[in-house]
Amino acid sequence: MTIADAICWTVVLIVAIQTCFALTFAAILFRNKPTLDTDYTPLAAIVLCLRGADPFLRQCITRLLDQDYPDYELHVVVDSHQDPSQQILREFESNPRLSVSVLEHPAETCSLKCSSLVQAIGELDPSFEIIALCDADCVPHRTWLAELVVPLACSEVGATTGNRWYDPPDAAGASLLRYLWNVPASVNMILLKIAWGGSLAIRRRVLLETGLLEKWSYALCEDTMLYRVLRRHGYRQVFVPSVMMVNRESCTLGDLMKWIPRQLLTAKLYHPSWPATVGYGILSFIVPLLAAGLAFVGWMRSDMASIRMALLVFAGFELSNVLLVALCQWSVCRQLSNEEAKPRWFGFRREAKEFLPYDGLPSPLKVTTDTDFRQTNGKLAAAVRVTSLLMLPIWIVFAQLLAPLSFLRCFLITNITWRGIDYRIRGRKIKRGKYVAFGEPMKQTNSL
């Protein structure tokens, strides 16, 4: 067997593995939404931690205060009295479901978000049975909380979780790269049971029994450790496809290069399947390297057959990636749509000007009813315009090149910056740097 043959069969094997992962992801997304006709509706508290005013914060709070759930409250913990989010919160201060507090005495051994969660949950009345977590960049639908709570009726289920899916407003640049990086990352998170704290619910009894609040007091994040902790205490973690959250924010390349290593770092620190995450990541970028190596050897030997084989292998692999991205995209669109609105696909969607709610800024929430929201959410989940479809393989290559750089930085990283705060990482020990109040103004569409 020649080197070219060996590389070809290696690529075939890698494509087969990726296809199996994508098909499993699609099968999971094909599950029906939880049946909401149930008497299990215990008192629930939604906890929202704020540092800065996220682009869609107003819509997020509006939706959280309008959940189709009989008995719940929204508890918001704000980073400081001077935080930019305070201005938006004042618009909702008359709502009886809303409770706002300011973070006091943030611990130096964990992230500010973990400090906020520990404070908020510690202040809750004992009558609250369910704790739901939501991120400020999410805009949940009306039955979001109910869909998270339903699986918790089973005593073996300790926590339920969704995941994120990006719908970049600009089908190019860093925002598209984040979308393309997140597609395999979401597949990896769902199959390896990595929870996501942006859309999550957990029994309060489980929190106390497992000592999670104490663990969060010494952690960088609250979600990635859940699977290990719950399994150790005999509980299951359930993924709920219908509570995946579409994020329509944009980002810069600088922000992206900080964000990806931080996502990988949380898996490295807290999840038992970190080696599998590394292996899955290697699959995404090893083929272009093998193809480049084969082409280089062919060029050195003046072997045009090897060069043609390298180009064929590379083109075939990238084409398979386009098809797998399409499969995953279609699965998410199908899950987030309803009978009244099948999502338009791969850019066959309304122009952004039809969704300009204020100041000419694109938003998924120029809507008045939940049906409108479901329709808009589903249609806008088609993230890639047809005009950029031909460029998609090139952007996928760029996303693949980010993988080795991000893994390298994750392995070497000792300090990270998260929303203006520096954290020093020593093993699993976290040391927060000097605290400063968040002073950036509200951004139009960029992620904070």
Side-chain angles (χ1 to χ4, degrees), residues 210-251:
T210 59
L212 269 171
L213 291 181
E214 177 68 17
K215 292 179 174 62
W216 287 349
S217 298
Y218 297 91
L220 183 64
C221 68
E222 80 288 0
D223 46 12
T224 316
M225 67 174 66
L226 276 179
Y227 174 68
R228 184 198 299 267
V229 174
L230 293 176
R231 186 179 62 174
R232 186 179 301 159
H233 288 80
Y235 292 105
R236 292 192 294 118
Q237 174 184 295
V238 172
F239 171 67
V240 183
S242 61
V243 297
M244 288 188 74
M245 295 287 101
V246 175
N247 183 309
R248 298 195 67 247
E249 297 175 354
S250 58
C251 70

Coordinates of all heavy atoms in Angstrom, one line a residue, residues 210-251:
T210 N -25.5 17.1 46.2 CA -24.2 16.9 45.6 C -23.1 17.9 46.0 O -22.0 17.7 45.5 CB -24.4 16.9 44.0 OG1 -24.9 18.2 43.7 CG2 -25.3 15.8 43.5
G211 N -23.5 18.9 46.7 CA -22.6 19.9 47.1 C -22.1 20.8 46.0 O -21.0 21.3 46.0
L212 N -23.0 21.0 45.0 CA -22.6 21.7 43.8 C -22.3 23.2 44.1 O -21.4 23.8 43.5 CB -23.7 21.7 42.7 CG -23.6 20.5 41.7 CD1 -24.8 20.4 40.9 CD2 -22.3 20.7 40.8
L213 N -23.0 23.8 45.1 CA -22.8 25.2 45.4 C -21.4 25.4 45.9 O -20.7 26.4 45.6 CB -23.8 25.6 46.4 CG -25.3 25.8 45.9 CD1 -26.2 26.3 47.1 CD2 -25.3 26.7 44.7
E214 N -20.9 24.4 46.7 CA -19.6 24.5 47.2 C -18.5 24.3 46.1 O -17.5 25.0 46.1 CB -19.3 23.4 48.3 CG -17.9 23.3 48.9 CD -17.6 24.5 49.7 OE1 -18.5 25.2 50.1 OE2 -16.4 24.7 50.0
K215 N -18.8 23.4 45.2 CA -17.9 23.2 44.1 C -17.9 24.4 43.2 O -16.8 24.8 42.6 CB -18.4 22.0 43.2 CG -18.2 20.7 44.0 CD -18.7 19.5 43.1 CE -18.4 18.1 43.8 NZ -19.1 18.0 45.1
W216 N -19.0 25.1 43.0 CA -19.1 26.3 42.2 C -18.3 27.4 42.8 O -17.8 28.3 42.1 CB -20.5 26.8 42.0 CG -21.3 25.9 41.0 CD1 -20.8 24.9 40.2 CD2 -22.7 25.9 40.8 NE1 -21.8 24.3 39.5 CE2 -23.0 24.9 39.8 CE3 -23.8 26.6 41.3 CZ2 -24.3 24.6 39.3 CZ3 -25.0 26.4 40.8 CH2 -25.3 25.4 39.9
S217 N -18.1 27.4 44.1 CA -17.3 28.4 44.8 C -15.8 28.4 44.4 O -15.1 29.3 44.8 CB -17.5 28.3 46.3 OG -18.9 28.5 46.6
Y218 N -15.4 27.3 43.8 CA -14.0 27.1 43.4 C -13.9 26.7 41.9 O -13.0 26.0 41.5 CB -13.4 26.0 44.2 CG -13.4 26.3 45.7 CD1 -14.4 26.0 46.6 CD2 -12.3 27.1 46.3 CE1 -14.4 26.3 47.9 CE2 -12.3 27.4 47.6 CZ -13.3 27.0 48.4 OH -13.3 27.3 49.8
A219 N -14.8 27.2 41.1 CA -14.9 26.8 39.7 C -14.9 28.0 38.7 O -15.3 29.1 39.1 CB -16.1 25.9 39.5
L220 N -14.5 27.7 37.5 CA -14.5 28.7 36.5 C -15.9 28.8 35.8 O -16.4 29.8 35.4 CB -13.5 28.4 35.4 CG -13.4 29.4 34.2 CD1 -12.9 30.8 34.7 CD2 -12.4 28.9 33.2
C221 N -16.6 27.6 35.8 CA -18.0 27.6 35.2 C -18.8 26.6 36.0 O -18.3 25.8 36.7 CB -17.9 27.2 33.7 SG -17.4 25.5 33.4
E222 N -20.1 26.7 35.8 CA -21.1 25.9 36.5 C -21.6 24.7 35.8 O -22.1 23.8 36.5 CB -22.3 26.8 36.9 CG -23.3 27.0 35.8 CD -22.9 27.9 34.7 OE1 -21.7 28.4 34.7 OE2 -23.7 28.1 33.7
D223 N -21.4 24.6 34.5 CA -22.1 23.6 33.7 C -21.3 22.3 33.4 O -21.9 21.2 33.5 CB -22.7 24.2 32.5 CG -21.7 25.1 31.7 OD1 -20.5 25.0 32.0 OD2 -22.1 25.8 30.8
T224 N -20.1 22.5 33.0 CA -19.3 21.4 32.4 C -19.1 20.3 33.5 O -19.0 19.1 33.1 CB -18.0 21.9 31.9 OG1 -18.1 23.1 31.2 CG2 -17.3 20.8 31.0
M225 N -19.1 20.6 34.7 CA -18.9 19.6 35.8 C -20.1 18.8 36.1 O -20.0 17.7 36.8 CB -18.3 20.2 37.0 CG -19.4 21.1 37.7 SD -18.8 21.8 39.3 CE -17.4 22.8 38.8
L226 N -21.3 19.2 35.6 CA -22.5 18.6 36.0 C -22.6 17.1 35.8 O -23.0 16.3 36.7 CB -23.7 19.3 35.4 CG -24.2 20.6 36.0 CD1 -25.4 21.1 35.2 CD2 -24.7 20.3 37.4
Y227 N -22.2 16.7 34.6 CA -22.3 15.3 34.2 C -21.5 14.4 35.2 O -22.0 13.4 35.7 CB -21.8 15.0 32.8 CG -21.8 13.6 32.4 CD1 -22.9 12.9 32.3 CD2 -20.6 12.9 32.2 CE1 -22.9 11.5 31.9 CE2 -20.5 11.6 31.8 CZ -21.7 10.9 31.7 OH -21.7 9.6 31.3
R228 N -20.3 14.8 35.5 CA -19.5 14.0 36.4 C -20.1 13.9 37.8 O -20.2 12.9 38.4 CB -18.1 14.6 36.5 CG -17.1 13.8 37.4 CD -15.9 14.6 37.8 NE -15.1 15.1 36.6 CZ -14.1 14.5 36.1 NH1 -13.7 13.4 36.6 NH2 -13.4 15.0 35.1
V229 N -20.5 15.1 38.3 CA -21.1 15.1 39.7 C -22.4 14.4 39.8 O -22.6 13.6 40.7 CB -21.3 16.6 40.1 CG1 -22.0 16.7 41.4 CG2 -19.9 17.3 40.1
L230 N -23.3 14.6 38.8 CA -24.6 13.9 38.8 C -24.4 12.4 38.7 O -25.0 11.6 39.5 CB -25.5 14.4 37.7 CG -25.9 15.8 37.8 CD1 -26.7 16.2 36.5 CD2 -26.8 16.1 39.0
R231 N -23.5 11.9 37.8 CA -23.3 10.5 37.7 C -22.8 9.9 38.9 O -23.1 8.8 39.3 CB -22.4 10.2 36.5 CG -22.2 8.8 36.1 CD -21.2 8.6 35.0 NE -19.9 9.1 35.3 CZ -18.8 9.0 34.4 NH1 -19.0 8.4 33.3 NH2 -17.7 9.5 34.8
R232 N -21.9 10.6 39.6 CA -21.3 10.1 40.9 C -22.4 9.9 41.9 O -22.2 9.0 42.8 CB -20.3 11.1 41.4 CG -19.5 10.6 42.6 CD -18.5 11.7 42.9 NE -17.5 11.9 41.8 CZ -16.8 13.0 41.7 NH1 -16.9 14.0 42.6 NH2 -16.0 13.2 40.7
H233 N -23.5 10.7 41.9 CA -24.5 10.5 42.9 C -25.7 9.8 42.4 O -26.8 9.8 43.0 CB -24.9 11.9 43.4 CG -23.9 12.6 44.2 ND1 -22.8 13.2 43.7 CD2 -23.8 12.7 45.6 CE1 -22.1 13.7 44.7 NE2 -22.7 13.4 45.9
G234 N -25.6 9.1 41.2 CA -26.7 8.3 40.7 C -27.8 9.0 40.0 O -28.9 8.4 39.8
Y235 N -27.5 10.2 39.5 CA -28.5 11.0 38.7 C -28.2 11.0 37.2 O -27.0 10.9 36.9 CB -28.7 12.4 39.2 CG -29.3 12.5 40.6 CD1 -28.5 12.8 41.7 CD2 -30.6 12.3 40.8 CE1 -29.0 12.8 43.0 CE2 -31.2 12.4 42.1 CZ -30.4 12.7 43.2 OH -30.9 12.7 44.4
R236 N -29.2 11.2 36.4 CA -29.0 11.4 35.0 C -29.1 12.8 34.5 O -29.8 13.6 35.1 CB -30.0 10.5 34.2 CG -29.8 9.0 34.3 CD -30.7 8.3 33.3 NE -32.1 8.4 33.6 CZ -32.9 9.0 32.7 NH1 -32.5 9.5 31.5 NH2 -34.2 9.1 33.0
Q237 N -28.4 13.1 33.5 CA -28.5 14.5 32.9 C -29.2 14.3 31.5 O -28.8 13.5 30.7 CB -27.1 15.1 32.7 CG -27.1 16.4 31.9 CD -25.6 16.8 31.7 OE1 -24.9 17.1 32.7 NE2 -25.2 16.8 30.4
V238 N -30.3 15.0 31.3 CA -31.1 14.8 30.1 C -31.0 16.0 29.2 O -31.1 17.1 29.6 CB -32.5 14.5 30.5 CG1 -33.4 14.5 29.2 CG2 -32.7 13.2 31.2
F239 N -30.7 15.7 27.9 CA -30.7 16.8 26.9 C -32.1 17.0 26.3 O -32.7 16.0 25.9 CB -29.7 16.4 25.8 CG -29.8 17.4 24.6 CD1 -29.4 18.7 24.7 CD2 -30.2 16.9 23.4 CE1 -29.5 19.6 23.6 CE2 -30.3 17.8 22.3 CZ -29.9 19.1 22.4
V240 N -32.6 18.2 26.3 CA -33.9 18.5 25.7 C -33.7 19.3 24.5 O -33.4 20.5 24.5 CB -34.7 19.3 26.8 CG1 -36.1 19.6 26.2 CG2 -34.8 18.6 28.1
P241 N -33.9 18.7 23.3 CA -33.6 19.4 22.0 C -34.4 20.7 21.8 O -33.9 21.7 21.2 CB -34.0 18.4 21.0 CG -33.9 17.0 21.7 CD -34.3 17.3 23.1
S242 N -35.6 20.7 22.3 CA -36.5 21.9 22.0 C -36.0 23.2 22.8 O -36.5 24.2 22.5 CB -37.9 21.6 22.4 OG -38.1 21.3 23.8
V243 N -35.1 23.0 23.7 CA -34.7 24.2 24.4 C -33.3 24.7 24.0 O -32.6 25.4 24.7 CB -34.7 24.0 26.0 CG1 -36.1 23.8 26.5 CG2 -33.8 22.9 26.4
M244 N -32.9 24.2 22.8 CA -31.7 24.8 22.2 C -32.0 26.3 21.9 O -33.0 26.7 21.5 CB -31.3 24.1 20.9 CG -30.7 22.7 21.1 SD -30.1 22.0 19.6 CE -28.6 22.9 19.4
M245 N -31.0 27.1 22.2 CA -31.2 28.6 22.0 C -30.4 29.1 20.8 O -29.2 28.8 20.6 CB -30.7 29.3 23.3 CG -31.5 29.0 24.5 SD -33.1 29.8 24.5 CE -34.2 28.4 24.1
V246 N -31.1 29.9 20.0 CA -30.5 30.5 18.8 C -29.8 31.8 19.2 O -30.5 32.7 19.8 CB -31.5 30.7 17.7 CG1 -30.8 31.5 16.5 CG2 -32.0 29.4 17.2
N247 N -28.6 32.0 18.9 CA -27.8 33.2 19.2 C -27.5 33.9 17.9 O -26.9 33.4 17.1 CB -26.5 32.9 20.0 CG -25.7 34.1 20.4 OD1 -25.5 35.0 19.6 ND2 -25.3 34.1 21.6
R248 N -28.0 35.2 17.8 CA -27.9 36.0 16.6 C -26.9 37.1 16.7 O -26.8 38.0 15.9 CB -29.2 36.5 16.1 CG -30.2 35.4 15.8 CD -31.4 35.9 15.0 NE -31.0 36.4 13.7 CZ -31.0 37.7 13.3 NH1 -31.4 38.6 14.1 NH2 -30.7 38.0 12.1
E249 N -26.1 37.0 17.8 CA -25.0 38.1 17.9 C -23.9 37.9 17.0 O -23.6 36.8 16.5 CB -24.5 38.0 19.4 CG -25.6 38.4 20.4 CD -25.1 38.2 21.8 OE1 -24.0 37.7 22.0 OE2 -25.8 38.5 22.8
S250 N -23.2 38.9 16.7 CA -21.9 38.9 15.9 C -20.7 38.9 16.8 O -20.9 39.1 18.0 CB -21.9 40.0 14.9 OG -22.0 41.3 15.6
C251 N -19.6 38.7 16.3 CA -18.3 38.8 17.1 C -17.2 39.2 16.2 O -17.2 39.2 15.0 CB -18.0 37.4 17.8 SG -17.5 36.1 16.6

